[in-house]
Amino acid sequence: MRKLVLVLTTLGLSWMANSHEYIVKAKLYQHDKLIGSPTLMVNENESAEISLDSLANNYQLNITLNEVDEKSVKVATNIRVGNQAVSPEMLVNYGEEASIIIEQEKLSLTVLRRN
């Protein structure tokens, strides 16, 4: 049993050592007006969620990040604005802002790699 625990602990630590942590700075706009700017800490391959209720719509964003190379990350999203939902994926260079527009709603993301 001790050997099993040691093997599982070693596997878990090696997985964590290979996983990256990211800072995601998001900006949510409604009719070109900034309505929220949350910042998230996101681990690679783990989903994070942002929810925001505005006067006109409810926003929900699920985001998962996967490193592509030392300069960029693939961002998989599931965005729900009111009754509309889209699931775009995009390649984002670290430190550069990328945007998604759904009718009058806009989401901008800047991703920084922590480790």
Side-chain angles (χ1 to χ4, degrees):
M1 184 67 173
R2 256 177 77 174
K3 287 183 182 181
L4 178 61
V5 171
L6 180 60
V7 169
L8 291 176
T9 302
T10 303
L11 289 173
L13 291 175
S14 67
W15 175 81
M16 288 174 58
N18 292 329
S19 180
H20 300 289
E21 186 175 58
Y22 302 94
I23 299 169
V24 178
K25 297 179 181 181
K27 294 179 184 173
L28 298 162
Y29 297 89
Q30 186 175 50
H31 301 282
D32 294 325
K33 180 182 175 189
L34 181 66
I35 60 169
S37 55
T39 298
L40 298 168
M41 298 294 290
V42 181
N43 291 319
E44 186 172 18
N45 296 317
E46 292 183 16
S47 181
E49 182 177 306
I50 299 170
S51 294
L52 177 69
D53 292 332
S54 72
L55 294 176
N57 285 315
N58 296 327
Y59 295 83
Q60 182 177 356
L61 166 67
N62 291 313
I63 184 170
T64 305
L65 305 172
N66 291 297
E67 185 173 69
V68 173
D69 56 34
E70 66 273 355
K71 297 185 297 184
S72 60
V73 65
K74 182 176 102 174
V75 179
T77 64
N78 185 333
I79 304 166
R80 180 173 297 282
V81 179
N83 295 329
Q84 297 180 0
V86 294
S87 297
E89 290 186 1
M90 60 184 152
L91 187 65
V92 178
N93 291 328
Y94 297 125
E96 295 181 14
E97 189 173 77
S99 298
I100 299 168
I101 299 172
I102 304 170
E103 292 188 13
Q104 300 297 318
E105 321 301 330
K106 178 180 173 183
L107 167 69
S108 293
L109 299 173
T110 303
V111 179
L112 305 169
R113 189 173 130 183
R114 266 196 86 184
N115 56 353

